[in-house]
Amino acid sequence: MHEMSYVAGIVNTVLDALETRETEVLRVTVECGGMTGVVPDYLIKYYGTATKDTLLEGSELVVRVVPVSAECEECGSTFSPDRASDYRCPKCGSYRAKILSGREFNVVNMEILPR
């Protein structure tokens, strides 16, 4: 249930970013990496509760999942590590890889209207 703390962070980030309180927030978009352990459906579920009585109340939360991508440190190929392949590089079989994406959690966009 750590998603509620992520939602609180989203709300605080957006409220801090608003230049004026005379705005209506329509939509907030976040990118959520596949390695974060965050369940996007729970973010959306808790968003309404977290935004109650704030400038974000009634706005929509859009969650874009960023797939995990890695670069093999042995052969340089880029791949999507997964349990099925035991997280090995599909080209050379190495376990040594650098994560390129999939750990991020960012507010990337907010749509607002002046009141």
Side-chain angles (χ1 to χ4, degrees), residues 10 15 21-22 32 42-43 47 57 63 65 67 82 90 94 96 105 114:
I10 293 167
L15 289 174
R21 300 292 180 187
E22 299 299 319
C32 178
Y42 289 162
L43 292 176
Y47 185 75
E57 185 171 9
V63 181
V65 177
D82 60 26
S94 173
R96 294 180 38 138
F105 190 89

Side-chain angles (χ1 to χ4, degrees), residues 72-92:
C72 178
E73 292 181 358
E74 299 295 325
C75 71
S77 68
T78 302
F79 65 100
S80 297
D82 60 26
R83 287 188 181 147
S85 65
D86 201 23
Y87 303 102
R88 290 178 184 238
C89 171
K91 188 172 181 181
C92 73

Side-chain angles (χ1 to χ4, degrees), residues 30-108:
V30 297
E31 288 183 336
C32 178
M35 289 183 69
T36 62
V38 172
V39 179
D41 288 343
Y42 289 162
L43 292 176
I44 294 166
K45 177 182 176 182
Y46 299 140
Y47 185 75
T49 301
T51 59
K52 188 168 176 52
D53 298 325
T54 73
L55 294 172
L56 283 78
E57 185 171 9
S59 65
E60 175 188 10
L61 178 65
V62 176
V63 181
R64 292 187 201 146
V65 177
V66 178
V68 180
S69 176
E71 179 180 36
C72 178
E73 292 181 358
E74 299 295 325
C75 71
S77 68
T78 302
F79 65 100
S80 297
D82 60 26
R83 287 188 181 147
S85 65
D86 201 23
Y87 303 102
R88 290 178 184 238
C89 171
K91 188 172 181 181
C92 73
S94 173
Y95 284 107
R96 294 180 38 138
K98 177 176 78 175
I99 301 298
L100 302 174
S101 66
R103 291 184 176 153
E104 53 273 273
F105 190 89
N106 301 303
V107 174
V108 293

Side-chain angles (χ1 to χ4, degrees), residues 13-35:
T13 298
V14 172
L15 289 174
D16 289 347
L18 292 175
E19 293 178 9
T20 176
R21 300 292 180 187
E22 299 299 319
T23 59
E24 178 184 354
V25 179
L26 301 175
R27 183 176 294 114
V28 176
T29 303
V30 297
E31 288 183 336
C32 178
M35 289 183 69

